[in-house]
Amino acid sequence: MLTDRLDIDPEVSAALVEGRPVVALESTLISHGLPYPQNIEVANASEAAVRAAGAVPATVAVHAGRLLVGLDEAALLALATAPAGSVRKAARPSLAAALAGRGWAATTVSATMIAAHATGIPVFATGGIGGVHRGALGGQASEAGGGSQAHPTFDISSDLEEIGRTPMAVVCAGPKAILDVPATLEYLETRGVPVVAVSQPELPGFYARSAGIAAPDSVADLDGAADLVAVHLGLGLGTGILVCVPVPEADALPGAVARDVVERAIREATEAGIGGPELTPWLLVRIAVLTDGASVRANTALIVNDAGFAGALAARLAAR
Ligand code: PSU
Ligand code: MN
């Protein structure tokens, strides 16, 4: 059983027993999404942002055959400083391999949601969710451009299936800009996942404030988000709800800049034959180089912002 593999941090379990707010955080963005030392700074700042909002952080990872819910400082540092390639990326399809291995594995959105749901944590924060990659469906990707190969890659993140089957609020800054964002929204709609933008009608665009398309739904602020999340989870439909908070203005990439570098990085990835679980980390690194670090500043700012928002959301929900 999954529950036999769970190691829940005592502070996290005490908070859950007492009905206090807890926010789950993922760890792949630490090991695969950002360079050192920004990754450890973000991991610590995200936990601090959750606490400042009145909630308890629970970063999730796999170590020595155990699924850890709540990491201490040493564990976060171990993940952030591990030599490249030594930390596995654990998603739903790779969770068993990660648990069967001896070392560290970082959890993606899907594996983090599995752990959080098994623990009883209803709010989760990440940077940007994975989704339908450009070219996943073959031919020209819809509107967002790129992905011009004729054959479909079928590369669709397991994040989407997980949000479609787990009743939890997922706070992010939009689907990652490297994706076919319109197709990702369609997929979420089919799986019954409400997607709501906070404070603006447009869908947040991960590196940029806007993805350039309307969000399926929007709310004015935190209170509006808490109301909608409470109703959705209260209905017992069994699906998650995606709450999209735009990257803070000061660190956002201008929309046109983000679009250009993303398209160039995707072209280069296709030429280099990059695919599978390597694709997302490869693109994030390449975009960091192409923007001279500006994308890393946007990514770190949006992750910490999402964590703070999720903390406040969890606090509202726990107070009801
Ligand atoms: N958000 C970020 N950086 C990341 C991720 C999210 O700002 O690196 C990670 C998440 O763990 C997400 C994963 O689940 O990217 C998606 O990977 P894939 O496309 O291979 O499913
Ligand atoms: Mn994939």
Side-chain angles (χ1 to χ4, degrees):
M1 286 272 289
L2 180 72
T3 45
D4 299 332
R5 295 277 184 170
L6 280 181
D7 273 352
I8 305 169
D9 178 85
E11 188 193 5
V12 171
S13 41
L16 290 169
V17 166
E18 292 160 24
R20 287 187 283 118
V22 177
V23 173
L25 300 168
E26 58 129 323
S27 48
T28 296
L29 59 84
I30 303 171
S31 59
H32 293 71
L34 289 167
Y36 180 83
Q38 282 91 348
N39 59 355
I40 186 65
E41 288 164 13
V42 167
N44 288 328
S46 296
E47 295 221 340
V50 169
R51 287 190 191 282
V56 174
T59 304
V60 174
V62 171
H63 185 239
R66 308 292 301 172
L67 186 50
L68 312 182
V69 179
L71 301 184
D72 61 19
E73 255 178 75
L76 286 175
L77 192 64
L79 269 179
T81 56
S86 67
V87 177
R88 289 169 184 264
K89 181 175 166 183
R92 175 175 280 268
S94 41
L95 185 58
L99 284 165
R102 287 169 204 287
W104 282 102
T107 51
T108 65
V109 168
S110 64
T112 306
M113 289 182 78
I114 290 170
H117 186 57
T119 306
I121 303 171
V123 179
F124 163 49
T126 181
I129 58 155
V132 180
H133 280 275
R134 305 208 192 163
L137 312 172
Q140 203 70 39
S142 54
E143 269 185 82
S148 56
Q149 73 269 41
H151 299 290
T153 64
F154 286 117
D155 189 349
I156 300 173
S157 175
S158 60
D159 291 1
L160 297 185
E161 283 297 302
E162 211 61 43
I163 302 168
R165 66 187 286 175
T166 313
M168 188 178 291
V170 177
V171 177
C172 70
K176 277 194 275 280
I178 56 173
L179 300 167
D180 183 336
V181 175
T184 299
L185 284 186
E186 292 295 346
Y187 196 102
L188 288 168
E189 185 190 56
T190 301
R191 298 294 278 109
V193 176
V195 177
V196 57
V198 178
S199 77
Q200 62 183 34
E202 310 96 64
L203 184 72
F206 188 64
Y207 294 130
R209 300 269 299 173
S210 168
I213 50 173
D217 195 4
S218 71
V219 291
D221 53 19
L222 173 67
D223 283 321
D227 287 342
L228 190 59
V229 167
V231 172
H232 177 75
L233 295 181
L235 288 175
L237 298 174
T239 62
I241 174 169
L242 191 66
V243 179
C244 302
V245 184
V247 55
E249 195 111 51
D251 294 297
L253 293 189
V257 171
R259 207 166 39 245
D260 288 351
V261 292
V262 163
E263 268 158 29
R264 177 163 166 202
I266 289 171
R267 261 199 318 276
E268 292 178 359
T270 306
E271 280 158 22
I274 308 296
E278 285 77 44
L279 179 59
T280 294
W282 193 95
L283 289 171
L284 296 181
V285 168
R286 189 66 194 131
I287 291 165
V289 172
L290 291 174
T291 59
D292 206 10
S295 71
V296 173
R297 286 192 290 282
N299 202 354
T300 57
L302 68 87
I303 289 167
V304 177
N305 190 54
D306 292 346
F309 189 93
L313 179 64
R316 296 290 159 114
L317 294 173
R320 279 162 193 250

